[in-house]
Amino acid sequence: MARYFFYVFLYIFLSFQSVSCKYKPNWDSLDSRPNPPWYDKAKFGIFMHWGVYSVPSFGSEWFWQNWHNGDPAYANFMKENYPPGFEYPDFAPMFRAEMFDPDAWADLLAKSGAKYLVLTSKHHEGFTNWGSNVSWNWNSEDVGPHRNLVGDLAKSIRARTNITFGLYHSLFEWFNPLYLEDKANGFKTRDYVTNTLMPELYDMVNRFKPEYIWSDGDWEAKDTYWGSTEFLAWLYNDSPVKDTVLVNDRWGVGCMCHHGGSYTCADRYNPGILQKHKWENAMTVDKKSWGFRREAKLEDFLTIHELISTLAETVSCGGNLLMNVGPTHDGRIVPIFQERLTQMGDWLKVSGQAIYASKPWRVQNETKTEGIWYTTKDGVVYAIVLQWPRSNTLELMAPVADPHHTTVAMLGLNMDIEWKQGTGRKGMVIQMPQVPVAKLPSDWAWVLKLADVE
């Protein structure tokens, strides 16, 4: 009998513990949840903005809003290229994605060295890249491609790569009548949230099981209107991705840079100093747009050196880099984006040891010598060198080196590198390798591996 009561007590205790460990729909509870380990290890992901805005492919993915607001550039573009009475929804049948090959996309993304992907499931225009049953005739299965674009890419990514699959989703829709009515009522009504937003989010998670939900479009209303904390409590407690899912910080007015798993804080956020909370630099290869632009010029695209520099600075300061490319309306990733993706992958094949699963060091960068960013892993310090020294001599002031034990090597180069202590036994003076340029492991940036330094 005593044993029986013991087991009853144990069952009740464990049940209580299970309930008490559930996350509650408030920020104190939700913010106590640790991020899944995969995210900090990944360091580098790819963002993809793809939707009806990819048809005009002019200006930016905010085409509809800018045109609606009377921006002269957009108004002139429409006047010169489309007949009178043409409306934005008329672009949807042209978004056919007839050249979309999800296997080819997956293979290209794998070559980039990215460890996670964030695809737009719905941008502010409201068009969903799957057959959402609350977006009738304004989704990729009812019109345009007549394909489940999200599902097709998710299947290929998971079958062909080790990339973690995530989805971008806009909370609001510029011209959804239900949303506009709620907005006109000062957000005292929540018809849009009840009838569109929440059914859509739950459907998206249950159907595609994204392990990163990149929320956006939150800035016009508080999280209490969006129902953010209730949704996140379900996501963390009961969803099919409850143990592995990550979210960002865009869940309502005042949430950005304060609540959520990863802080994005602002587009192209790159503080340049170590942050206390895990953060992400979401940025674009095309300096002017997230979506594909036909009018883009070569100088509008960041060079691979600029991209690697951004990656090094971001990771050194504790962040992840989410690098955006914009596919075309017919489903192609144009050569300039392919080149940047494969170049990044080539560099990471050699230098990824200093990026993946690394941690910020006690010093993030050299102040005396520009273009040096540090990371550390497994007791080793990595100095990412973004500019080759003219004299072939590199001075590092941050490391405390031991002349009897410290060794220096360059990732991708099978040779020891000579060094000596700096003036007054401070820092290190490193003799960069005297080898032909063609034999260097990279044309863009080089990583020195410093063993036994403090």
Side-chain angles (χ1 to χ4, degrees):
M1 182 63 69
R3 180 176 295 181
Y4 169 79
F5 283 114
F6 170 78
Y7 284 119
V8 169
F9 172 79
L10 181 62
Y11 173 79
I12 294 172
F13 174 77
L14 292 175
S15 298
F16 175 77
Q17 288 293 101
S18 177
V19 171
S20 65
C21 287
K22 282 184 173 290
Y23 295 99
K24 298 176 183 178
N26 62 68
W27 288 118
D28 285 344
S29 179
L30 296 170
D31 288 341
S32 71
R33 178 183 183 263
N35 285 340
W38 70 261
Y39 180 68
D40 186 54
K41 293 177 181 178
K43 303 300 182 187
F44 176 54
I46 299 298
F47 216 169
M48 304 184 87
H49 276 66
W50 195 33
V52 174
Y53 46 84
S54 305
V55 177
S57 53
F58 174 85
S60 81
E61 69 290 346
W62 280 54
F63 187 98
W64 194 3
Q65 176 79 313
N66 292 337
W67 179 28
H68 179 268
N69 289 343
D71 186 304
Y74 293 82
N76 290 337
F77 175 84
M78 292 303 300
K79 183 178 180 180
E80 293 173 2
N81 295 285
Y82 296 92
F86 190 99
E87 298 182 356
Y88 188 82
D90 295 327
F91 282 124
M94 304 178 191
F95 178 47
R96 292 175 53 205
E98 66 269 25
M99 300 187 73
F100 171 48
D101 181 347
D103 286 351
W105 281 28
D107 293 345
L108 176 61
L109 293 171
K111 289 179 182 177
S112 76
K115 298 301 183 183
Y116 63 103
L117 167 69
V118 178
L119 172 72
T120 45
S121 66
K122 181 188 77 171
H123 201 257
H124 311 324
E125 64 186 11
F127 186 93
T128 62
N129 281 333
W130 87 95
S132 168
N133 60 9
V134 292
S135 187
W136 180 81
N137 211 38
W138 193 235
N139 67 74
S140 65
E141 293 189 58
D142 288 347
V143 66
H146 295 287
R147 288 180 68 173
N148 180 350
L149 301 177
V150 171
D152 288 352
L153 186 57
K155 182 179 178 181
S156 291
I157 289 291
R158 287 165 173 153
R160 302 174 73 89
T161 77
N162 292 319
I163 294 172
T164 299
F165 185 76
L167 291 172
Y168 167 106
H169 183 273
S170 175
L171 295 179
F172 86 148
E173 299 175 18
W174 286 316
F175 305 114
N176 186 302
L178 292 177
Y179 178 73
L180 293 178
E181 186 174 349
D182 285 350
K183 185 176 177 179
N185 292 330
F187 298 112
K188 294 178 181 177
T189 56
R190 301 178 71 245
D191 290 342
Y192 167 75
V193 173
T194 301
N195 296 296
T196 299
L197 177 61
M198 282 303 149
E200 194 168 75
L201 278 173
Y202 282 92
D203 178 51
M204 184 184 81
V205 173
N206 284 317
R207 197 184 302 194
F208 304 117
K209 301 175 179 57
E211 291 178 280
Y212 191 177
I213 297 179
W214 213 98
S215 181
D216 197 17
D218 62 317
W219 55 82
E220 292 189 344
K222 295 181 179 180
D223 62 273
T224 50
Y225 168 75
W226 301 118
S228 300
T229 56
E230 290 80 7
F231 170 73
L232 292 176
W234 169 80
L235 188 70
Y236 292 169
N237 292 325
D238 302 308
S239 79
V241 288
K242 61 184 177 65
D243 297 323
T244 56
V245 72
L246 174 86
V247 301
N248 67 339
D249 57 346
R250 303 187 182 192
W251 296 99
V253 173
C255 289
M256 195 158 54
C257 229
H258 291 92
H259 299 297
S262 180
Y263 289 176
T264 62
C265 298
D267 293 350
R268 303 175 180 86
Y269 178 63
N270 192 8
I273 59 175
L274 184 63
Q275 300 296 295
K276 294 181 179 179
H277 192 282
K278 185 64 188 180
W279 63 281
E280 184 172 79
N281 180 357
M283 46 73 69
T284 58
V285 175
D286 178 349
K287 303 172 190 176
K288 299 181 179 181
S289 177
W290 299 81
F292 176 70
R293 293 187 303 131
R294 287 180 288 170
E295 81 276 18
K297 300 176 182 178
L298 182 61
E299 58 265 28
D300 293 335
F301 298 94
L302 294 173
T303 66
I304 185 57
H305 181 265
E306 289 172 320
L307 292 170
I308 292 172
S309 299
T310 303
L311 175 66
E313 180 177 352
T314 298
V315 173
S316 179
C317 296
N320 277 23
L321 186 72
L322 185 59
M323 188 178 86
N324 180 82
V325 300
T328 63
H329 75 282
D330 53 9
R332 291 174 295 119
I333 300 174
V334 295
I336 189 70
F337 289 136
Q338 291 186 38
E339 182 182 57
R340 294 296 182 269
L341 291 169
T342 53
Q343 286 173 328
M344 185 66 86
D346 289 343
W347 187 78
L348 285 167
K349 283 178 185 176
V350 174
S351 306
Q353 186 180 144
I355 300 296
Y356 303 127
S358 66
K359 298 291 183 182
W361 193 40
R362 60 173 176 81
V363 173
Q364 276 59 69
N365 64 313
E366 284 286 338
T367 56
K368 182 177 180 180
T369 305
E370 293 186 5
I372 310 291
W373 292 90
Y374 292 104
T375 62
T376 185
K377 183 170 66 177
D378 299 329
V380 172
V381 174
Y382 298 93
I384 304 172
V385 182
L386 302 176
Q387 299 174 13
W388 192 275
R390 290 183 181 180
S391 64
N392 264 21
T393 301
L394 183 68
E395 186 173 7
L396 303 180
M397 298 302 295
V400 178
D402 183 331
H404 301 294
H405 297 97
T406 298
T407 60
V408 180
M410 179 178 287
L411 297 184
L413 196 62
N414 187 24
M415 61 181 293
D416 291 331
I417 294 178
E418 296 180 1
W419 72 275
K420 62 182 180 180
Q421 287 187 313
T423 304
R425 297 182 176 274
K426 292 183 179 179
M428 305 174 68
V429 178
I430 297 172
Q431 181 63 49
M432 298 295 274
Q434 302 279 355
V435 297
V437 172
K439 291 189 176 182
L440 287 174
S442 172
D443 294 331
W444 312 299
W446 307 268
V447 178
L448 296 176
K449 182 178 181 180
L450 313 178
D452 287 314
V453 298
E454 296 179 2

